[in-house]
Amino acid sequence: MSAQQLAPAAHPMVIDSPASILAVIERVAKDPNADVDKMERLMAMHRDVVKQRAEEAFNQAMGRVQAQMRRIGTDKRNDQTRSDYATYGKLDRALRPLYTSEGFALSFSTEPAEVEWVRVVCHVTHESGHSRKYQIDMPADGKGAKGNDVMTKTHATGSATQYGMRYLLKMIFNVAIGDDPDDDDGNGADLTPEQAAAHDRANNWIQKAAAIQHPAEFNKLRQEVIADYGSDINAVPALVRGALATAKSAVTPKD
């Protein structure tokens, strides 16, 4: 049953938002003969709409964050496995400004897991009120690459937790690790002046796309972006096109 059917018939109104549902609830509540069951159904409908809108805002913000992601270079080497990796500190420096600017907050914790394993959990919350839980199980047996004991159980637990936090951070935001021949690690140290200017130019459009709130603003920005790159949409960098696609989705009315 829709909110329109639940609303009093004397003054029909369009029910398409949490605010309009609340208005119906207020009207029903003022009726001395109000049906309690009807009130409960209206409240449940209101909670569902609020939850849906919050999840939509979460997903749209996640899309905008990932549109700004760049490959992150390694800054540490694991001598045992002879492999390079990006530390949590470097990931945090690159990612925190991006995800906090879109209203995200991360909270890490652990949960019970199998013996000699650590379950690392990350709760990603958004300013809209929606949250999502991510988790990964990491071995904490203190064994090295060759199966020999290399650390105490306490040290192993701490190491497994740090590993889990690092892996979850990469997984949540779909971060690519490693050097790119056509890119740098995100700090601009190896860019030529021309590459740095192109990077700043693209970032400027990405930030503007993330701030779009109305269809008219999107249409105007899209025209400006295409004109800036020679009136050829194919000449617009992929990250900028991705940011435009996310902005369009954010301002397109839902059915």
Side-chain angles (χ1 to χ4, degrees):
M1 181 175 290
S2 67
Q4 284 92 338
Q5 291 173 302
L6 291 172
H11 302 286
M13 62 187 300
V14 177
I15 309 298
D16 60 358
S17 69
S20 57
I21 295 178
L22 280 177
V24 172
I25 293 174
E26 290 178 358
R27 286 168 53 190
V28 174
K30 293 177 181 179
D31 184 354
N33 299 315
D35 187 336
V36 174
D37 181 58
K38 180 185 294 185
M39 287 289 294
E40 291 178 349
R41 281 180 287 168
L42 280 169
M43 290 300 297
M45 186 178 298
H46 176 260
R47 288 192 295 269
D48 288 342
V49 172
V50 170
K51 181 179 179 181
Q52 180 182 354
R53 293 293 176 87
E55 185 174 3
E56 289 175 354
F58 181 105
N59 292 334
Q60 290 166 3
M62 181 63 75
R64 290 192 295 271
V65 169
Q66 293 197 23
Q68 299 182 65
M69 293 294 173
R70 305 181 66 211
R71 185 183 296 270
I72 298 178
T74 60
D75 64 333
K76 194 80 171 181
R77 183 167 182 79
N78 187 325
D79 293 329
Q80 289 187 354
T81 61
R82 298 181 181 179
S83 60
D84 298 325
Y85 63 95
T87 60
Y88 182 86
K90 183 163 188 178
L91 291 171
D92 181 73
R93 286 194 299 274
L95 303 181
R96 188 186 294 264
L98 297 179
Y99 68 72
T100 56
S101 69
E102 285 293 342
F104 287 108
L106 274 56
S107 177
F108 288 95
S109 63
T110 60
E111 291 182 353
E114 296 183 18
V115 177
E116 295 188 336
W117 285 77
V118 172
R119 174 166 298 163
V120 183
V121 176
C122 181
H123 293 276
V124 181
T125 58
H126 186 249
E127 61 187 5
S128 65
H130 186 72
S131 65
R132 193 168 295 162
K133 175 183 175 182
Y134 300 81
Q135 67 182 49
I136 186 171
D137 289 358
M138 302 296 296
D141 54 10
K143 302 292 185 182
K146 298 181 179 180
N148 55 315
D149 293 326
V150 296
M151 61 183 75
T152 66
K153 298 300 182 185
T154 300
H155 186 190
T157 299
S159 178
T161 302
Q162 285 295 314
Y163 266 93
M165 292 174 63
R166 180 159 56 88
Y167 282 118
L168 277 179
L169 190 57
K170 292 189 297 180
M171 292 165 61
I172 290 167
F173 296 107
N174 192 26
V175 179
I177 303 298
D179 296 325
D180 189 327
D182 298 321
D183 203 351
D184 73 324
D185 63 4
N187 58 22
D190 300 323
L191 295 181
T192 65
E194 293 78 13
Q195 290 174 324
H199 172 250
D200 292 341
R201 178 184 178 190
N203 268 347
N204 175 59
W205 290 122
I206 289 172
Q207 292 173 9
K208 288 185 176 181
I212 292 296
Q213 296 184 7
H214 303 288
E217 292 178 354
F218 167 77
N219 293 331
K220 181 175 182 294
L221 179 67
R222 185 178 186 278
Q223 293 174 359
E224 292 176 351
V225 170
I226 295 176
D228 185 35
Y229 287 95
S231 299
D232 181 5
I233 186 63
N234 294 320
V236 178
L239 284 177
V240 179
R241 280 186 275 128
L244 286 174
T246 301
K248 181 179 180 180
S249 175
V251 299
T252 299
K254 303 297 186 297
D255 295 333

